[in-house]
Amino acid sequence: MQRRIIIAGGGTGGHIFPAIAIANALKKIDPETEILFVGAKGKMEMEKVPQAGYKIEGLEIAGFNRSNMLKNLLLPFKVIKSLGQARRIIERFQPQAVVGVGGYASFPILRKAQSKGIPTLIQEQNSFAGKANMILGRKAKKICTGYESMEKFFPADKIIYTGNPVRNNITQSSVTKEDALQHFGLKSGKQTVFAVGGSLGAKAINEALHPLLSSFVEKDIQLIWQTGKPYFETAKSAAAAYASHVKVFEFINLMDFAYKAADVVISRAGALAIAELCVVKKPVIFVPYPFAAEDHQTFNAQSLVNKKAALMIKNDDAAAQLGTTLFSLLQNKALLEQLQENIGKLGNTNADMVIAKEVMGLIG
């Protein structure tokens, strides 16, 4: 009997890439498994999932907008419409299990699957669960978490601590530091910083780095700077005078190269970024995005800070503190080694396979 599984969710790379990792693991267990992704129309999963070789259907759904309340007026109508679309997709595809990875499209599909008695599994990536997943968790069969101690959000008997899935091209990368530096046009023997704010960039990180560019040259430190599309032209123009030490990119596909080249990483604190940084064992300064749902990025980062596995600067303090914190860290060999050792202890390279086995267990 051919297994049919829906994986629902997306919105950001932090949801999409773990979902693809789970799909790949399912295919490794049983290559005949038919997998359908369901995402939100207009979001990046509609492009990234087909690139990974999987079919995807889109729902007309959006999330709650915290910065512009007027945009939420149509939200109830979009939710109702998306529930109808979800029902039709389920009736047509007839899945034997549905996996929710978070993001806008996850709720309508899992809600409809649960109403039809189809077993569902939630992959909760963050240390502070979102409201939608907490509601879905009441009827989910299994809840695979990226962090421990999630009993305050979900029924304890359903929780399986798995860690978060990380892309194969990172967990299995064989690139050397020399190759990575050469790829970015940088020199070996110099300290290198990788600044990344997620797929769309991070305004606070970008604006904090902008006035520091001359300091990178003066201190002979190299910078790989992924800005995201909104800030790219500004950063490219600002960095033109410092091209020997500062390399600016709108988006970096070869993340394993960027991680390998770096001695220190500056990053947002999404679950995917943290999972990757634990695997590659890099000292990191987190600047959490404070407007993420339930401020979960701050909770994510704090969980590592508590284990002396990372440093954290609040978003509003980035402009004033990032330069001092970064350059002090680069000079503190003992702290660099401590952060590297402690974050490495949290790395998990097989979460995708553990989750995939749980999904297959729902089907039997």
Side-chain angles (χ1 to χ4, degrees):
M1 180 184 71
Q2 186 184 42
R3 296 179 174 98
R4 293 182 305 281
I5 298 167
I6 285 178
I7 300 178
T12 66
H15 294 306
I16 298 162
F17 295 124
I20 292 171
I22 294 168
N24 290 341
L26 288 167
K27 283 287 194 178
K28 193 175 288 186
I29 294 172
D30 179 6
E32 298 301 313
T33 301
E34 188 176 355
I35 297 172
L36 175 67
F37 279 77
V38 178
K41 286 183 178 179
K43 295 299 179 180
M44 65 185 291
E45 58 262 31
M46 304 306 292
E47 176 187 348
K48 297 295 182 184
V49 168
Q51 286 175 359
Y54 294 102
K55 296 177 182 177
I56 186 167
E57 295 196 32
L59 303 180
E60 292 180 42
I61 183 66
F64 187 80
N65 193 308
R66 290 169 173 79
S67 59
N68 188 340
M69 299 302 289
L70 287 175
K71 290 186 177 180
N72 295 315
L73 293 175
L74 294 175
L75 188 57
F77 302 99
K78 288 185 176 181
V79 170
I80 292 168
K81 186 172 185 178
S82 69
L83 286 167
Q85 292 171 324
R87 176 180 53 79
R88 289 189 289 274
I89 289 171
I90 289 171
E91 289 174 351
R92 186 169 63 250
F93 187 71
Q94 293 289 303
Q96 293 143 318
V98 177
V99 180
V101 296
Y104 309 141
S106 191
F107 185 84
I109 287 286
L110 267 74
R111 192 70 162 177
K112 280 299 174 184
Q114 290 175 349
S115 71
K116 291 178 175 292
I118 300 167
T120 59
L121 179 147
I122 294 170
Q123 200 262 314
E124 174 56 67
Q125 297 154 6
N126 295 298
S127 61
F128 196 102
K131 289 185 174 66
N133 273 356
M134 288 167 64
I135 294 169
L136 294 167
R138 296 168 193 161
K139 292 186 178 180
K141 295 292 184 184
K142 300 284 184 181
I143 302 160
C144 295
T145 65
Y147 290 84
E148 296 176 296
S149 304
M150 297 294 284
E151 292 81 6
K152 56 180 174 274
F153 303 109
F154 302 113
D157 59 334
K158 297 180 179 183
I159 296 173
I160 303 161
Y161 168 61
T162 60
N164 283 316
V166 176
R167 293 172 275 182
N168 287 344
N169 63 338
I170 291 173
T171 59
Q172 299 171 17
S173 176
S174 59
V175 65
T176 66
K177 183 161 188 172
E178 188 66 38
D179 289 339
L181 288 167
Q182 192 173 353
H183 172 78
F184 291 108
L186 297 171
K187 295 178 180 178
S188 58
K190 297 181 187 295
Q191 286 186 305
T192 302
V193 176
F194 173 37
V196 55
S199 52
L200 299 176
K203 186 171 182 284
I205 293 175
N206 288 336
E207 291 181 349
L209 284 172
H210 194 143
L212 299 175
L213 299 183
S214 61
S215 297
F216 280 91
V217 178
E218 291 164 10
K219 297 176 185 295
D220 202 18
I221 296 167
Q222 301 177 136
L223 173 65
I224 301 168
W225 187 9
Q226 179 182 296
T227 64
K229 188 173 183 178
Y231 205 81
F232 176 65
E233 292 300 332
T234 300
K236 186 178 176 182
S237 175
Y242 313 106
S244 61
H245 287 68
V246 181
K247 308 297 179 181
V248 179
F249 302 89
E250 179 181 319
F251 185 80
I252 295 173
N253 284 306
L254 297 176
M255 285 292 286
D256 57 324
F257 279 69
Y259 286 139
K260 182 63 74 169
D263 296 291
V264 170
V265 177
I266 302 166
S267 176
R268 286 300 201 194
L272 173 66
I274 290 179
E276 292 179 349
L277 286 160
C278 291
V279 167
V280 300
K281 303 176 184 178
K282 292 294 175 179
V284 58
I285 300 170
F286 287 121
V287 183
Y289 180 59
F291 304 109
E294 285 81 37
D295 195 19
H296 66 252
Q297 287 203 7
T298 298
F299 286 91
N300 291 350
Q302 190 63 53
S303 70
L304 270 73
V305 172
N306 292 343
K307 295 180 172 87
K308 295 182 169 55
L311 303 181
M312 179 172 69
I313 298 173
K314 289 184 178 179
N315 193 75
D316 291 347
D317 296 333
Q321 296 181 11
L322 185 59
T324 303
T325 303
L326 173 62
F327 296 130
S328 296
L329 174 59
L330 286 164
Q331 291 177 340
N332 190 336
K333 186 178 179 183
L335 181 54
L336 284 169
E337 290 176 352
Q338 181 191 57
L339 293 175
Q340 184 171 347
E341 180 181 352
N342 289 342
I343 200 169
K345 293 175 184 175
L346 306 175
N348 188 327
T349 58
N350 71 334
D352 52 350
M353 188 57 69
V354 175
I355 294 167
K357 288 178 180 177
E358 291 294 336
V359 177
M360 289 301 195
L362 296 181
I363 299 172

